[in-house]
Amino acid sequence: MSTEDGTPLPKLAAPAQRALQGAGFTTLESLTQATEVEIMELHGMGPAAMKALRAALDERGLSFGG
């Protein structure tokens, strides 16, 4: 998944990808508008997906909001 508006999300399991896309999160930058708790509450998000998102955000000097 690539976008001109920001950094693509890392490769995640299909349920996590669907959860994020369904909630409107398509880039790492978009995740900075939500808290980590809000993302974890999405159906399909598990520990492995959260770990991958945290690592990808940290790598770019970004973090979850809140």
Side-chain angles (χ1 to χ4, degrees):
M1 172 188 340
S2 67
T3 177
E4 296 176 14
D5 297 340
T7 308
L9 295 171
K11 183 164 174 60
L12 303 170
Q17 288 177 355
R18 286 191 300 268
L20 291 169
Q21 289 175 348
F25 299 106
T26 58
T27 65
L28 285 177
E29 289 79 7
S30 67
L31 292 175
T32 66
Q33 302 303 309
T35 67
E36 191 168 350
V37 171
E38 291 169 331
I39 299 299
M40 288 188 328
E41 289 176 346
L42 295 174
H43 181 73
M45 294 302 298
M50 292 305 297
K51 182 177 179 181
L53 291 176
R54 281 187 213 103
L57 286 165
D58 187 55
E59 185 177 296
R60 288 162 184 81
L62 300 171
S63 63
F64 289 105

